[in-house]
Amino acid sequence: MSSPPLYPPRKREGSCPPPSVPPTSGGEVVIPSVPPASEGEVTTSSVPPASGRKVAPPSTRWPAHRSPLIIYHWAVGMLLLAFFVQAITSIPCKSPTFDEEFHIARAYAYVRTDDLRMQQNHPPLVSLLSGTPLLLMTAELTPPEEIPHWDDAFLFHFADNLFWRLGHDVDKMLFLARLPIIMLGTLLGAFVFRWAREMYGRKAGLLAAGLYAFTPNLLAHTRLVTTDLAVTACTYIALYAFWRYLRRPTGRHLGLAGLALGLALAAKLSALLLIPVAGILAFSESCGRRGNRSTRGKRLTLILRRSSLAIRHLSPVILIAGVTVWAFYRFEIRPWPGSTLPLPATTYLLNVRTLVGHAGRGHGAFLMGQVSMHGWWYYFPIAFLLKTSPLLLLLLGLAVWDTVRRGGCAPPPSVPPARGGEVARASPWWGKGRWQEDAPLLLFPTLYFALALTSSLNIGYRYILPTIPFLIIYAAKIAHRLPPHRKGPLRYPLHWKGPLRYPLHWKGPLRYRVNESSHLHWKGPLRYRVNESSHLHWKGLRGRGSISPHLYTLALLALWILYACASLRLHPHYLAYFNFLAGGPDGGYRYLVDSNLDWGQDLKLLRRYLSQNDIDEIWLGYFGTADPAYYGIRYRPLMLDGPPRPTEGFSPINPVPGWYAISATVLQGPFSPEPDMFDWFRRHEPAKKIGYSIFIYQVTPDPNPPGWLGLCYAPEPVMDDDEIVRRLGWAAPPHDDLRLVGFDCQQAWVYPAGGGPGWYLVPTAGDGPGSLASQLLGDAEVVYRERGLREVPGYTVYRWHEESKCELRSQWEKSTSSPGCLFSAQAWSSPVLAPGENDPMTALHVPADVGGQVAFLGHRLSSQSAPPGEEIMLTTAWQVTARPEDPPLSVFAHLVGPAGAQSIGDGLGFPAIQWSPGDVFIQRNRLPVPPETPSGRYWTQVGLYSLATGERLLVLEAGESVADRLLLSPVTIRHDE
């Protein structure tokens, strides 16, 4: 005996039933002139017709202006055919994606053997679908037992041998394996149309089919042998079958619902979410049933009854689904590893454990320039906004607005009228009267998105693909809400103006009974009059400023045409779809990569481009598992197998001239231990984008190559000399004679002699605001930046040339003729340690010769006055005039007063052993003012001395010694009161 339905079945049209009387001429509806029945209802049953008029029998369908059914069904059929043709014609253009060869190898093993060892990570539904056509190639394909790595069940190498090492026809294998997935995608389109029509009517069904047929993300994954489309289709069909079962719980519907749920669970492990969704849906719909009078008011009893009813409907469905999944595993019974307890479908349970472990370890992901192993909570919302069609986003927004403002067709609460003939108002916008009808469509996407927000597996838009069919139907409800015509039959729902006068003045919603199972819900008040012929006269079917229904329809049609044209224009590159928010497919790589854009699918197009441009060999950074050599591509890999690292001859910072092809995913580096390995290429525009996923670069010889490298080694070197040579390509001309200049960029900066172009390699720690690098590099070009991700030290490589402007360098060059510059070119000598206003002082000529080895160029103080306890920054500029005779030299910097040196800040960040005539270096010394320093006037003095002997180098003028120090600027020490 079948269980009672949770709620009565609705009409197939999906719209609310009309009054059971026909309209008369002029668009008037006959209303029997009888007083309201009990509970504030106006009944039409058993009412005699008005005198002299015949009343037609109750209508089961709402009359509307529709195209003939034959044209309607042909239109839907053509839309599904268009979907099929778009998917199947894109197969020859694309090579296998990253995961496809693993799924196809798994499928081949599944249909040719009884061994389940290859069914790793995923359930076997896709293996059965895609493997069955491969039986047509039995004579051409090597038996699984003879393929290398069958014995150890190493799927990666097993798949590699099946595809690329044994001479099989890969294109034929791909076509046969992809064909069932395309057919499944087309079948899903038919179910999308059917459910939309049943929920919201024929217009909504047609619009849903139109949206589905040209959805780029569905087209992208329909033609791929992966679990994504399979779980999308089976999840949708399972919920549709369960929805029908709840409406009419017969044995047939029970079997179909259980079978559909089993197929979904056998498609992908994420379909396990269907079980709690089905439970919530069953309980939610059981709440929509009216309780009898004996249970009203008894909340706990009512909840228990509803829960019992939901469990009674759900349990047999889960049981049938479990048996279905078990059948896919060929009724496997074997013990859990490390245990003797036999379990059914143990492989499935092991895959669940693997998924949990994968989620704990995380997965490489890229989002808007960031890389992470554990993702971001906002990854999927951003992916949804950037990769969903603007039309679908617009319609979804309108559908939500419609649900909030107007509600669904669900009956309002059964409540008696209040005093004075007033009917109690319907439930608020969050109540069942507005949302319960849409719950089957919104419940699963809502819970699925909530789960995605907490997931560490940010694997791409395909992860949320199962929500798209539901959202398409929900968006298509807008077609059901087309504005009504001013004339003609009364159509539900309407917003009425004015009071309802028959014979009472009603407030709130009017419930109008049509039959035992259907109600009309008007948002009132409704104004009408009843005369002898019982005609209903309505007013204001279209409010002031509303859109004409014809204009509304034409606008929707125009938007759909643009939507379809955008999809057709993108053919066959559906995987690379991005909307205008991301700049289209061309700009998508800046936001998302991996399966959102580049999944290794464009090797065939790369081969075509190389042959058209007569490129014999190319440097290749390919993201995928396919073998480029199979497609006739001669290449040198940019990365070595095993632990990813640059191949011999590839210089990431300074690539050698030639042609380079780099996948967008490799370019952004989410799976690399060095995510910024290809930052040099990110900073250059590609010569061509192949299918939006492979970027072609032509590196030409540098007409003016750098002659030196300024290497900052503070706080510590970011790489050793061998690594520097490899990354900069010093081993090959013209860079084999480069000069390496090392210095501590936290206290010094060097401009090597010659003035030619060069590089600076600056660690991230020495490149922040206020650093010498930020002040002295000026507009030097950044050629490479390693951000220090994944335990890789961060650094930046700049290209410097004479034209580069920099604050301090331009100032000391001006200072010889402009003493008023901030970088002062003044220096004095005096016999007094800290001369006063009346003490003798002699101005020195700047540049000042110090020891015949270096010239003083100028200085700058951070402040001319300071309180005790603060720090004064003294920056000095020097130029090497000769190689030092005593290389261990240092700069002394003192703050001196009448009582002696108050602060000492000695140090030299550019070792004298590296000096070469013509080098210019900037030295920064810190002079902390002791707290006990008395107020007064003090002087800064600098000079050079030998670290070995402590002897100072003399200041020379015209070859004669004049001093052993340089007095620079006075500093006032003040005590703040």
Side-chain angles (χ1 to χ4, degrees):
M1 183 175 179
S2 61
S3 303
L6 290 180
Y7 59 91
R10 295 173 48 200
K11 298 296 181 182
R12 169 170 293 186
E13 282 302 309
S15 59
C16 293
S20 55
V21 289
T24 60
S25 60
E28 299 179 345
V29 178
V30 177
I31 300 294
S33 54
V34 294
S38 60
E39 297 188 4
E41 296 177 350
V42 180
T43 177
T44 62
S45 59
S46 303
V47 178
S51 59
R53 300 186 62 89
K54 293 183 179 181
V55 179
S59 174
T60 58
R61 291 182 180 270
W62 184 254
H65 300 287
R66 300 186 180 95
S67 300
L69 288 180
I70 185 66
I71 299 178
Y72 176 79
H73 290 143
W74 267 98
V76 173
M78 294 303 295
L79 288 172
L80 295 179
L81 179 62
F83 180 87
F84 180 84
V85 170
Q86 289 178 87
I88 203 167
T89 55
S90 65
I91 291 180
C93 307
K94 299 293 181 177
S95 57
T97 57
F98 197 103
D99 289 353
E100 278 192 286
E101 69 176 56
F102 305 132
H103 287 289
I104 295 176
R106 187 185 293 113
Y108 180 61
Y110 183 81
V111 298
R112 288 291 300 269
T113 71
D114 294 329
D115 196 329
L116 297 175
R117 292 178 303 144
M118 290 295 182
Q119 306 310 309
Q120 306 166 11
N121 304 324
H122 297 286
L125 174 63
V126 173
S127 297
L128 177 63
L129 292 177
S130 297
T132 300
L134 294 180
L135 295 176
L136 300 174
M137 297 181 66
T138 300
E140 304 174 44
L141 299 179
T142 305
E145 298 85 355
E146 300 178 13
I147 297 177
H149 292 280
W150 167 259
D151 294 335
D152 58 11
F154 199 147
L155 181 60
F156 181 88
H157 291 301
F158 176 82
D160 184 71
N161 282 279
L162 172 66
F163 268 74
W164 315 112
R165 311 299 170 217
L166 300 177
H168 297 150
D169 188 342
V170 173
D171 289 340
K172 186 175 181 180
M173 290 172 59
L174 275 179
F175 180 83
L176 291 176
R178 287 172 170 176
L179 186 59
I181 308 300
I182 294 177
M183 297 175 67
L184 180 61
T186 308
L187 178 64
L188 172 59
F191 273 93
V192 167
F193 157 72
R194 183 185 178 104
W195 200 358
R197 186 187 64 180
E198 292 184 11
M199 287 286 289
Y200 303 117
R202 286 182 180 152
K203 292 180 181 179
L206 184 61
L207 178 58
L211 292 174
Y212 181 90
F214 296 96
T215 300
N217 293 290
L218 289 170
L219 285 166
H221 293 280
T222 292
R223 47 117 189 257
L224 302 181
V225 184
T226 63
T227 58
D228 302 306
L229 192 279
V231 72
T232 300
C234 294
T235 296
Y236 176 87
I237 295 173
L239 278 181
Y240 172 68
F242 189 71
W243 176 74
R244 289 178 61 88
Y245 167 62
L246 292 180
R247 296 171 67 210
R248 185 172 296 174
T250 64
R252 174 174 170 267
H253 288 162
L254 171 63
L256 292 176
L259 177 62
L261 179 59
L263 293 175
L265 296 177
K268 195 171 183 178
L269 297 177
S270 58
L272 287 168
L273 183 63
L274 280 175
I275 296 176
V277 168
I280 296 173
L281 186 60
F283 180 81
S284 172
E285 297 298 345
S286 69
C287 295
R289 303 191 63 199
R290 296 184 181 182
N292 55 41
R293 296 183 182 275
S294 62
T295 59
R296 289 177 183 174
K298 300 178 180 180
R299 183 179 298 274
L300 179 59
T301 303
L302 193 58
I303 291 176
L304 291 177
R305 288 178 62 120
R306 290 169 175 172
S307 300
S308 174
L309 182 60
I311 294 173
R312 185 169 59 177
H313 283 84
L314 184 61
S315 298
V317 174
I318 294 178
L319 179 61
I320 297 174
V323 174
T324 303
V325 173
W326 194 18
F328 274 97
Y329 284 95
R330 294 162 180 163
F331 300 102
E332 173 195 44
I333 298 179
R334 65 185 178 94
W336 184 266
S339 173
T340 58
L341 178 64
L343 296 173
T346 306
T347 303
Y348 187 87
L349 301 177
L350 289 173
N351 287 340
V352 174
R353 184 182 70 173
T354 301
L355 175 63
V356 174
H358 187 191
R361 293 189 305 272
H363 189 86
F366 172 84
L367 177 64
M368 299 189 297
Q370 308 173 73
V371 295
S372 173
M373 287 299 297
H374 297 281
W376 309 265
W377 70 266
Y378 49 86
Y379 177 90
F380 289 108
I382 292 177
F384 181 78
L385 288 176
L386 296 181
K387 284 188 66 67
T388 302
S389 166
L391 177 59
L392 184 55
L393 293 175
L394 173 63
L395 294 181
L396 284 173
L398 293 176
V400 172
W401 176 85
D402 177 78
T403 300
V404 173
R405 291 290 303 272
R406 304 181 68 175
C409 297
S414 176
V415 292
R419 291 185 303 172
E422 295 182 357
V423 177
R425 293 187 180 275
S427 57
W429 67 268
W430 58 85
K432 66 180 181 180
R434 292 178 179 270
W435 293 94
Q436 188 177 14
E437 183 187 60
D438 299 327
L441 297 177
L442 297 181
L443 182 60
F444 176 78
T446 301
L447 294 182
Y448 200 89
F449 261 104
L451 179 65
L453 295 181
T454 63
S455 175
S456 62
L457 303 179
N458 292 170
I459 59 177
Y461 191 93
R462 63 190 179 100
Y463 191 84
I464 58 175
L465 195 68
T467 66
I468 302 304
F470 298 94
L471 298 180
I472 286 177
I473 295 181
Y474 183 64
K477 70 181 289 187
I478 295 301
H480 175 61
R481 299 296 192 188
L482 289 175
H485 297 276
R486 182 178 295 275
K487 295 183 179 180
L490 177 65
R491 302 186 179 206
Y492 172 79
L494 298 174
H495 292 266
W496 300 82
K497 295 182 179 181
L500 174 65
R501 299 173 181 172
Y502 172 67
L504 301 173
H505 185 179
W506 299 80
K507 294 182 179 180
L510 170 69
R511 295 181 59 198
Y512 185 93
R513 177 181 294 177
V514 177
N515 52 36
E516 295 182 355
S517 60
S518 300
H519 298 79
L520 289 181
H521 180 194
W522 277 285
K523 295 178 65 177
L526 172 68
R527 182 181 182 183
Y528 67 95
R529 64 180 176 83
V530 179
N531 53 27
E532 294 180 356
S533 59
S534 300
H535 291 168
L536 174 64
H537 299 267
W538 62 86
K539 296 183 178 181
L541 291 184
R542 292 211 317 256
R544 182 177 299 176
S546 62
I547 302 176
S548 165
H550 300 294
L551 181 60
Y552 185 97
T553 303
L554 289 176
L556 192 59
L557 179 62
L559 290 175
W560 179 82
I561 292 175
L562 293 176
Y563 167 82
C565 291
S567 177
L568 293 173
R569 182 181 180 184
L570 191 61
H571 179 83
H573 312 300
Y574 299 113
L575 198 65
Y577 175 79
F578 283 85
N579 60 34
F580 69 94
L581 296 176
D586 272 323
Y589 76 98
R590 299 185 181 93
Y591 299 89
L592 297 164
V593 289
D594 194 13
S595 60
N596 299 294
L597 170 70
D598 164 37
W599 220 6
Q601 71 271 18
D602 284 319
L603 279 183
K604 289 184 178 181
L605 298 180
L606 175 62
R607 177 195 60 187
R608 182 188 305 174
Y609 177 83
L610 297 179
S611 61
Q612 290 175 350
N613 292 271
D614 297 325
I615 302 174
D616 295 330
E617 188 177 44
I618 197 167
W619 288 91
L620 181 61
Y622 172 62
F623 177 71
T625 52
D627 184 5
Y630 178 87
Y631 295 102
I633 298 174
R634 295 183 58 220
Y635 70 100
R636 296 181 64 185
L638 292 173
M639 304 293 291
L640 296 176
D641 295 332
R645 62 190 188 279
T647 190
E648 189 68 29
F650 170 54
S651 306
I653 301 176
N654 181 38
V656 298
W659 288 92
Y660 292 75
I662 304 175
S663 295
T665 305
V666 174
L667 191 71
Q668 302 294 10
F671 304 106
S672 173
E674 296 186 47
D676 295 319
M677 176 73 71
F678 295 93
D679 186 69
W680 188 93
F681 294 93
R682 294 181 202 161
R683 300 176 182 277
H684 293 77
E685 284 296 320
K688 179 71 175 178
K689 293 180 181 177
I690 306 298
Y692 304 104
S693 70
I694 299 179
F695 293 6
I696 304 296
Y697 297 89
Q698 184 179 16
V699 180
T700 57
D702 191 344
N704 192 16
W708 48 267
L709 170 66
L711 176 63
C712 174
Y713 53 75
E716 61 183 11
V718 295
M719 62 184 75
D720 56 31
D721 292 348
D722 293 339
E723 186 71 8
I724 291 174
V725 170
R726 186 173 62 83
R727 289 182 177 263
L728 287 172
W730 281 9
H735 305 296
D736 50 352
D737 58 347
L738 290 178
R739 179 191 174 196
L740 178 62
V741 180
F743 58 93
D744 178 358
C745 59
Q746 293 185 341
Q747 60 173 319
W749 195 262
V750 180
Y751 295 101
W759 288 306
Y760 285 108
L761 194 154
V762 185
T764 302
D767 199 15
S771 65
L772 283 172
S774 64
Q775 297 178 14
L776 299 176
L777 281 172
D779 60 353
E781 176 189 4
V782 176
V783 297
Y784 186 91
R785 175 165 287 157
E786 177 63 63
R787 292 171 290 175
L789 305 175
R790 296 180 180 168
E791 300 182 358
V792 178
Y795 61 90
T796 303
V797 177
Y798 297 88
R799 181 184 174 94
W800 190 90
H801 47 83
E802 274 297 326
E803 292 75 18
S804 297
K805 302 298 181 183
C806 57
E807 179 187 355
L808 295 182
R809 181 169 171 82
S810 62
Q811 289 172 3
W812 69 255
E813 286 178 341
K814 297 175 185 177
S815 63
T816 56
S817 58
S818 304
C821 289
L822 293 178
F823 206 106
S824 174
Q826 296 178 346
W828 295 267
S829 66
S830 176
V832 180
L833 181 63
E837 295 182 357
N838 299 322
D839 294 327
M841 294 178 60
T842 302
L844 299 176
H845 175 72
V846 178
D849 185 3
V850 180
Q853 304 174 40
V854 65
F856 172 77
L857 302 177
H859 76 282
R860 178 181 180 180
L861 283 176
S862 60
S863 176
Q864 296 290 335
S865 63
E870 287 195 359
E871 185 178 71
I872 298 174
M873 195 78 68
L874 174 61
T875 305
T876 53
W878 311 78
Q879 184 170 24
V880 178
T881 57
R883 292 189 178 276
E885 301 173 359
D886 184 11
L889 297 176
S890 183
V891 172
F892 67 85
H894 300 161
L895 182 65
V896 296
Q902 299 294 317
S903 179
I904 297 175
D906 296 356
L908 178 59
F910 179 35
I913 196 172
Q914 298 195 61
W915 289 5
S916 179
D919 291 344
V920 173
F921 64 92
I922 310 297
Q923 175 65 37
R924 174 180 286 179
N925 298 86
R926 302 175 185 273
L927 298 172
V929 181
E932 65 278 5
T933 304
S935 300
R937 187 185 187 201
Y938 296 82
W939 285 85
T940 53
Q941 65 175 19
V942 297
L944 277 79
Y945 68 98
S946 170
L947 289 173
T949 63
E951 182 178 356
R952 294 183 177 182
L953 274 66
L954 300 177
V955 179
L956 306 175
E957 287 220 358
E960 299 292 332
S961 173
V962 295
D964 61 357
R965 61 171 183 159
L966 296 167
L967 281 175
L968 302 181
S969 296
V971 176
T972 302
I973 304 299
R974 67 185 188 281
H975 286 266
D976 296 330
E977 298 182 357

